[in-house]
Amino acid sequence: MVLTYFFKGILIGFSIAAPVGPIGILTVHRSLYTGSLAGLATGMGAASADAVYGCVAAFGLTFISGFLLDWNTWILRGGSLFLITLGLLFLVRNPKAPEETGRQGFTTYPAAYFSSFFLTLTNPMTIMAFTAIFAGLGLSMTKESYLSAGILVLGVFLGSSLWWVALAFGVGHLRKRVGESLMKILSRAAGVILLCFGFWSLFLAPA
């Protein structure tokens, strides 16, 4: 039974992380621009936030989910403005060729981690996604099933991490083949996409 929760958690974490979104764009960009470890730090921030939301859903922490949903508008606006800021930075920054940026990024790993952690947490609707998935898979948790809930959340974290490891190192493997001109195009494209995500999220934020 415990292993069942573990593998279901892996499936949930992977399925939550895999769809293309702003964190995926950030991970790809940072893996290309700074290296696989920077992309991995970005992905692990998202995986940690997924684990937090998994805890909220699995342990039935209604006081936390209620608080986040009550402040949904301001949280979404904060995340949207952060995405817009990142998009603008990508548009105005002049990225260099990968061989010139090979040693950059060591000091940016914490920033990469916490920025994606913050961005993932600024989507309180993720709680509802986790809750719906848990209910659909028959994973209703009770006070007597803390161990099962903990195993499930661990699986969610590992499943999400599995996707980000594959993405970061897969993109990072192609890094040396990307020249400066292509790097600029990709950076501008990432900036435009992040701006679109940011304005779209800002537009959808409840009044």
Side-chain angles (χ1 to χ4, degrees):
M1 181 63 71
V2 171
L3 284 178
T4 299
Y5 282 117
F6 179 69
F7 288 116
K8 284 185 177 181
I10 290 178
L11 177 63
I12 292 170
F14 192 89
S15 63
I16 289 287
V20 177
I23 302 301
I25 299 300
L26 273 178
T27 301
V28 169
H29 182 274
R30 287 170 176 170
S31 297
L32 282 174
Y33 181 69
T34 310
S36 297
L37 291 181
L40 180 61
T42 303
M44 294 308 293
S48 299
D50 286 341
V52 170
Y53 278 136
C55 283
V56 173
F59 288 98
L61 303 179
T62 54
F63 65 97
I64 295 179
S65 61
F67 171 81
L68 291 173
L69 293 175
D70 287 343
W71 289 88
N72 185 28
T73 298
W74 292 105
I75 293 174
L76 283 176
R77 287 175 179 173
S80 299
L81 293 176
F82 191 46
L83 278 178
I84 292 171
T85 301
L86 285 177
L88 291 174
L89 287 175
F90 285 2
L91 287 176
V92 302
R93 186 169 56 186
N94 185 29
K96 299 179 180 180
E99 60 268 15
E100 298 180 56
T101 60
R103 293 189 176 277
Q104 292 184 9
F106 179 78
T107 58
T108 69
Y109 296 159
Y113 175 89
F114 285 109
S115 62
S116 64
F117 181 78
F118 169 76
L119 280 173
T120 306
L121 281 184
T122 55
N123 185 11
M125 301 308 291
T126 306
I127 296 176
M128 298 182 68
F130 271 109
T131 303
I133 292 174
F134 283 8
L137 293 177
L139 300 176
S140 301
M141 298 298 164
T142 65
K143 293 183 179 180
E144 289 75 32
S145 61
Y146 286 150
L147 175 60
S148 297
I151 294 296
L152 182 66
V153 172
L154 176 61
V156 167
F157 175 75
L158 292 178
S160 181
S161 299
L162 179 63
W163 167 255
W164 297 119
V165 168
L167 182 63
F169 284 95
V171 173
H173 182 69
L174 303 175
R175 187 167 176 260
K176 294 300 183 180
R177 304 179 185 179
V178 179
E180 184 171 353
S181 59
L182 182 56
M183 183 71 77
K184 290 180 180 179
I185 294 174
L186 293 174
S187 183
R188 302 295 185 269
V192 171
I193 294 173
L194 289 180
L195 280 175
C196 291
F197 273 119
F199 282 115
W200 181 55
S201 181
L202 191 62
F203 175 77
L204 291 180

